[in-house]
């Protein structure tokens, strides 16, 4: 059971202690005639004839005081955080290959806040009185003021993501036709983040439980190949100062070769609840901080248009690219809560006590209020539109500077099927597990050096981008070094 108490967020320490005490007690009470233990005629828990028991130093009556204050399910949403795929990460990619060749974009991308905060994930405000009671039950030495101070600490945690790797581009021309391949090798990491002061505060508050916050549980890493984009285009216009290409592009989910995004499966079985609890908690953790180096296994098909205009005798070049990619349905794992049918204990304690008198009722209460089970589902991702506008200045023969704007937008996704027998989708909170539409606006710049010969051109560049506005996505930034040659 030690693994489960290493869960990095104090709130889950409280919940798992509540469940391992309360539900085991309820199960035992049911076996010994539940109605003899709990008096339904009085809804004031201060007067309920409950046996005072202790489980690992946790007072059960204190836990029951917390139960009566539960106002709503803990979770508001169970969707995973969203980040950009590496194929859409570097907006300068459009001018990497002009005549065919091979280019390596070595990049580092950092998102310090993935725009998914605790108040958006969990029902903290309405359940704060109950959570404070859980905290006091976990550590009886805490004063009410100290217990209240834990919730603000929990509200401050953020999700971060780091990606490093190489976006690889290759291509060639054959007459008016253009063929390109884009793929990547990546190392990705996601983590929870609290300031060192806040971490030390949590450790000191819960030191008497005998458990510690293991920093290895705060992050997850992955390494492997990303998805691959194949482009087939047609050079429709090729004048001395204007060029335009149009074509089709396909996305192949090659990331599944090295990384299959799966959650640890579990079933909420109260007979072995304490044994299964580490798996439950790890699935919840992985849903939030499991890095994705691809799009989750979805094929895509889209179209694009690229154009270049030379101005002032080639002193300035304007580049723009717009693409639209539609993705097909594929299977993914999602945590999904059951729709709420059991009234909150704070509103109808008599009904709640009646529900948890049976094993089925206790299981359903967990699925509705505490732990969302993982389901294998078919997901139709939202389509992606990407627009890039870039101006390149060449003050010298071999030196160039570029500045530009990048727009990224992805539509909402839809869960189309549940791969679990005897599950009615209408009984699940599907919309709370679906990613909604997201947008990102970036500015970027680069400085490059090129050396041209008769049949080839060597290009090196240093650049970066910064998100100045985002909706339902994090504000990330990227730095990169480009090394390549055109021929």
């Amino acid at each position: 059971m030690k693994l489960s108490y290493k869960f990095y967020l104090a709130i889950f320490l409280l919940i798992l202690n509540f469940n391992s005490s309360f539900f085991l007690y309820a199960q035992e009470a049911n076996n010994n005639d539940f109605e003899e233990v709990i008096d339904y005629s009085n809804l004031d828990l201060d007067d309920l004839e409950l046996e005072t028991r202790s489980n690992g130093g946790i007072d059960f009556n204190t836990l029951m005081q917390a139960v009566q204050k539960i106002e709503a399910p803990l979770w508001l949403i169970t969707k995973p955080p969203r980040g950009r795929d590496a194929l859409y990460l570097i907006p300068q990619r459009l001018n990497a290959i002009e005549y065919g060749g091979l280019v390596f974009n070595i990049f580092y991308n950092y998102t310090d806040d993935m725009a998914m905060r605790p108040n958006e994930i969990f029902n903290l405000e309405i359940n704060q009185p109950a959570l404070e009671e859980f905290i006091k039950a976990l550590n009886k030495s805490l004063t009410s003021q100290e217990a209240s101070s834990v919730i603000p600490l929990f509200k401050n945690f953020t999700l971060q993501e780091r990606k490093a790797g190489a976006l690889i581009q290759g291509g060639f021309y054959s007459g008016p036709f253009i063929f390109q391949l884009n793929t990547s090798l990546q190392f990705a990491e996601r983590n929870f983040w609290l300031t060192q002061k806040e971490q030390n505060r949590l450790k000191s508050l819960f030191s008497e439980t005998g458990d510690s916050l293991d920093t290895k549980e705060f992050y997850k890493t992955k390494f492997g190949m990303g998805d691959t984009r194949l482009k087939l285009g047609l050079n429709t216009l090729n004048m001395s100062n204007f060029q335009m290409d149009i074509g089709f592009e396909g996305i192949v989910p090659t990331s599944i070769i090295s990384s299959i995004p799966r959650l640890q499966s579990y079933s909420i079985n109260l007979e072995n609840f304490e044994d299964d609890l580490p798996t439950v908690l790890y699935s919840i953790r992985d849903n939030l901080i499991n890095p994705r180096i691809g799009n989750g296994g979805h094929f895509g098909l889209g179209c694009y248009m690229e154009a270049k205009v030379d101005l002032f005798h080639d002193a300035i070049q304007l580049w723009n690219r717009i693409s639209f990619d539609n993705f097909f349905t594929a299977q993914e794992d999602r945590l999904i809560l059951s729709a709420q049918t059991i009234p909150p204990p704070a509103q109808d304690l008599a009904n709640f006590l009646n529900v948890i008198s049976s094993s089925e009722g206790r299981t359903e209460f967990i699925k509705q209020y505490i732990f969302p089970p993982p389901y294998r589902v078919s997901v139709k991702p939202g389509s992606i539109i990407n627009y890039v506008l870039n101006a390149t200045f060449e003050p010298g023969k071999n030196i160039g500077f570029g500045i530009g704007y990048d727009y990224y937008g992805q539509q909402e996704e839809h869960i189309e099927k549940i791969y679990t027998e005897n599950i009615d989708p209408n009984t699940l909170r599907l919309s709370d597990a679906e990613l909604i539409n997201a947008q990102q606006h970036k500015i970027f710049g680069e400085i490059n050096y090129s050396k041209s010969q008769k049949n080839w051109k060597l290009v090196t560049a240093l650049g970066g981008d910064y998100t100045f506005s985002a909706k339902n996505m994090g504000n990330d930034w990227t730095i990169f070094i480009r090394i390549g040659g055109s021929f």
Side-chain angles (χ1 to χ4, degrees):
M1 190 62 182
K2 186 176 181 181
L3 276 175
S4 61
Y5 287 101
K6 290 182 178 178
F7 195 64
Y8 26 78
L9 298 176
I11 196 67
F12 285 115
L13 285 169
L14 314 178
I15 295 169
L16 89 84
N17 276 286
F18 160 67
N19 282 283
S20 61
S21 299
F22 175 71
F23 287 107
L24 288 177
Y25 174 82
Q27 184 177 10
E28 178 181 317
N30 184 53
N31 294 335
N32 296 318
D33 193 354
F34 191 84
E35 294 188 3
E36 292 181 6
V37 179
I38 298 180
D39 180 10
Y40 287 92
S41 63
N42 194 331
L43 301 185
D44 186 352
L45 285 181
D46 291 331
D47 299 327
L48 286 178
E49 298 177 4
L50 294 172
E51 175 188 353
T52 301
R53 43 188 284 132
S54 175
N55 183 20
I58 303 170
D59 183 71
F60 181 75
N61 275 343
T62 306
L63 285 172
M64 288 300 294
Q65 294 290 339
V67 171
Q68 71 169 332
K69 296 182 179 181
I70 294 178
E71 291 278 0
L74 176 64
W75 297 79
L76 290 171
I77 60 173
T78 56
K79 65 192 70 175
R82 169 179 271 159
R84 275 210 202 193
D85 190 293
L87 290 176
Y88 302 90
L89 195 57
I90 300 177
Q92 297 88 342
R93 66 186 178 275
L94 63 95
N95 61 355
I97 302 173
E98 186 173 353
Y99 304 108
L102 183 65
V103 175
F104 293 86
N105 298 278
I106 302 169
F107 68 87
Y108 174 77
N109 175 262
Y110 175 55
T111 308
D112 67 342
D113 186 347
M114 297 195 71
M116 188 170 282
R117 308 303 294 270
N119 277 339
E120 298 171 326
I121 302 173
F122 304 108
N123 238 327
L124 295 178
E125 300 298 336
I126 193 171
N127 282 324
Q128 183 159 336
L131 294 175
E132 291 175 1
E133 292 294 333
F134 291 153
I135 293 170
K136 288 191 287 185
L138 180 63
N139 190 336
K140 294 186 292 249
S141 66
L142 295 181
T143 64
S144 296
Q145 183 177 2
E146 288 174 327
S148 299
S149 69
V150 174
I151 306 301
L153 290 178
F154 179 69
K155 291 178 181 178
N156 290 338
F157 92 76
T158 59
L159 299 173
Q160 297 180 337
E161 182 176 67
R162 296 165 179 84
K163 291 181 179 179
L167 177 62
I168 306 164
Q169 301 171 280
F172 65 87
Y173 279 63
S174 178
F177 296 99
I178 310 120
F179 177 80
Q180 286 191 27
L181 180 149
N182 301 337
T183 191
S184 64
L185 290 175
Q186 301 175 55
F187 175 83
E189 181 266 351
R190 282 187 187 178
N191 63 275
F192 292 102
W193 185 85
L194 284 173
T195 65
Q196 190 62 50
K197 181 179 179 180
E198 291 167 333
Q199 291 183 47
N200 293 337
R201 176 62 173 163
L202 283 176
K203 290 177 182 178
S204 65
L205 287 173
F206 292 95
S207 59
E208 291 191 4
T209 65
D211 301 294
S212 61
L213 297 176
D214 189 344
T215 56
K216 293 181 180 179
E217 307 294 346
F218 278 81
Y219 64 88
K220 293 273 290 182
T221 61
K222 281 188 179 179
F223 172 79
M225 182 179 181
D227 292 333
T228 300
R229 175 191 285 116
L230 303 174
K231 297 170 58 178
L232 178 62
L234 177 66
N235 182 211
T236 57
L237 293 173
N238 193 4
M239 298 181 288
S240 59
N241 62 349
F242 181 77
Q243 177 180 320
M244 184 173 72
D245 301 335
I246 60 173
F248 296 96
E249 56 186 23
I251 309 296
V252 181
T254 49
S255 60
I256 62 176
I257 297 173
S258 55
S259 173
I260 301 176
R262 296 297 302 268
L263 298 175
Q264 298 186 55
S265 62
Y266 60 86
S267 59
I268 297 178
N269 183 350
L270 292 176
E271 299 294 332
N272 302 301
F273 192 67
E274 294 205 30
D275 294 334
D276 294 337
L277 205 46
T279 302
V280 174
L281 296 176
Y282 283 139
S283 289
I284 294 173
R285 177 200 62 182
D286 292 349
N287 185 61
L288 293 173
I289 64 170
N290 214 10
R292 294 180 65 153
I293 59 176
N295 65 26
H298 299 270
F299 285 87
L301 182 63
C303 57
Y304 73 93
M305 185 277 290
E306 294 181 357
K308 182 185 77 169
V309 180
D310 295 324
L311 303 174
F312 307 110
H313 303 287
D314 296 341
I316 298 177
Q317 295 180 342
L318 296 179
W319 295 77
N320 67 85
R321 179 184 193 273
I322 186 169
S323 65
F324 177 83
D325 295 320
N326 180 63
F327 292 90
F328 301 103
T329 300
Q331 294 185 16
E332 293 190 33
D333 286 352
R334 290 296 168 88
L335 296 179
I336 309 176
L337 280 173
S338 295
Q340 184 181 346
T341 59
I342 301 173
Q347 299 179 17
D348 192 345
L349 184 59
N351 181 71
F352 168 74
L353 294 175
N354 181 62
V355 166
I356 65 171
S357 65
S358 67
S359 177
E360 294 78 7
R362 293 192 293 274
T363 299
E364 190 58 33
F365 179 79
I366 294 174
K367 291 181 178 180
Q368 293 182 22
Y369 280 80
I370 309 296
F371 293 128
Y375 293 93
R376 194 67 174 168
V377 300
S378 64
V379 177
K380 176 66 170 65
S383 300
I384 294 176
I385 186 170
N386 188 208
Y387 175 73
V388 178
L389 175 64
N390 180 31
T392 301
F393 308 87
E394 296 183 350
K397 183 178 180 180
N398 299 319
I399 299 294
F401 300 91
I403 59 173
Y405 163 76
D406 170 78
Y407 169 78
Y408 173 93
Q410 185 165 10
Q411 297 174 333
E412 63 184 8
E413 67 180 12
H414 296 284
I415 294 175
E416 296 184 342
K417 185 177 180 181
I418 311 295
Y419 291 96
T420 303
E421 294 183 2
N422 303 321
I423 292 292
D424 182 358
N426 294 322
T427 65
L428 301 177
R429 289 168 51 179
L430 294 181
S431 61
D432 294 328
E434 297 172 333
L435 292 171
I436 59 178
N437 56 60
Q439 299 180 14
Q440 226 180 23
H441 303 268
K442 284 187 175 185
I443 55 173
F444 60 86
E446 70 170 84
I447 179 172
N448 61 70
Y449 172 82
S450 62
K451 184 176 181 179
S452 300
Q453 295 295 326
K454 183 178 180 180
N455 297 319
W456 57 269
K457 180 179 181 180
L458 177 67
V459 178
T460 59
L462 174 66
D465 63 52
Y466 176 77
T467 303
F468 65 88
S469 177
K471 177 183 178 182
N472 301 321
M473 292 183 68
N475 291 0
D476 67 308
W477 54 264
T478 310
I479 57 174
F480 72 91
I481 297 174
R482 176 183 299 132
I483 303 172
S486 298
F487 49 83

